[in-house]
Amino acid sequence: MEDFYVSKPTYEHPPDWIPPEQRSSNNDYNNDINQFLPRSVKIRRMKKNDVLGFNIRGGKEHHCGLYISKVMLNTDAHRLGLREGDQVLRINDTSFENIDHAEAVNILKSNKELQLTVRYFPYEYAALAVNTPELPEP
């Protein structure tokens, strides 16, 4: 049996109490769940070896999903709103929820058109970032 360890993220103290009527305009009380809903992003490249503009981390061998770990500024990925902590749920017709990292990289490299379904999920990503090395852009 393979041993693996996951460390818990550091404890975050709750924000100072703010009256409910003032919370909607306060960044510490952002309760807009829409930021966590899945969204679709389409990236088109002229050639398969053109940069994607982002790095990924994780995979089945790390017992977790695949996450965007870095987005390069001034790329299509950046302009389309991809961000660190986005979980890649699907690319084209392939589910990325239980896929090896190498297989994911192969899919990313072999397509000029990528229809990504992602969701912002920083909680699992934060634990993953502590326990796995970042790999270079696919």
Side-chain angles (χ1 to χ4, degrees):
M1 180 176 189
E2 182 180 325
D3 289 335
F4 74 96
Y5 301 92
V6 176
S7 61
K8 294 180 183 177
T10 57
Y11 177 77
E12 292 183 29
H13 291 279
D16 294 331
W17 189 85
I18 294 177
E21 63 275 4
Q22 295 175 15
R23 292 179 186 174
S24 64
S25 62
N26 187 297
N27 289 336
D28 289 337
Y29 279 89
N30 182 358
N31 60 0
D32 178 13
I33 62 167
N34 290 321
Q35 68 177 322
F36 302 107
L37 295 176
R39 62 193 194 283
S40 291
V41 174
K42 188 172 208 163
I43 295 178
R44 291 187 181 118
R45 301 180 290 175
M46 298 301 286
K47 297 178 287 190
K48 290 180 185 177
N49 62 348
D50 286 347
V51 297
L52 289 167
F54 62 90
N55 294 356
I56 59 172
R57 174 182 269 168
K60 185 167 66 173
E61 66 272 29
H62 298 289
H63 310 285
C64 64
L66 273 155
Y67 290 84
I68 293 179
S69 60
K70 182 178 182 179
V71 178
M72 285 57 137
L73 293 176
N74 302 317
T75 62
D76 285 343
H78 179 251
R79 285 186 283 277
L80 292 169
L82 292 178
R83 59 184 167 166
E84 181 180 352
D86 276 343
Q87 181 181 12
V88 182
L89 301 173
R90 174 173 290 285
I91 293 186
N92 297 343
D93 293 328
T94 304
S95 172
F96 270 47
E97 294 190 62
N98 191 27
I99 191 171
D100 289 326
H101 189 275
E103 185 179 350
V105 168
N106 185 45
I107 291 168
L108 290 167
K109 285 183 169 184
S110 64
N111 288 285
K112 290 194 293 186
E113 233 177 71
L114 299 165
Q115 181 70 43
L116 289 83
T117 302
V118 298
R119 71 173 173 156
Y120 184 57
F121 195 63
Y123 312 106
E124 184 177 53
Y125 172 73
L128 171 68
V130 169
N131 294 301
T132 62
E134 183 174 20
L135 300 172
E137 179 179 342

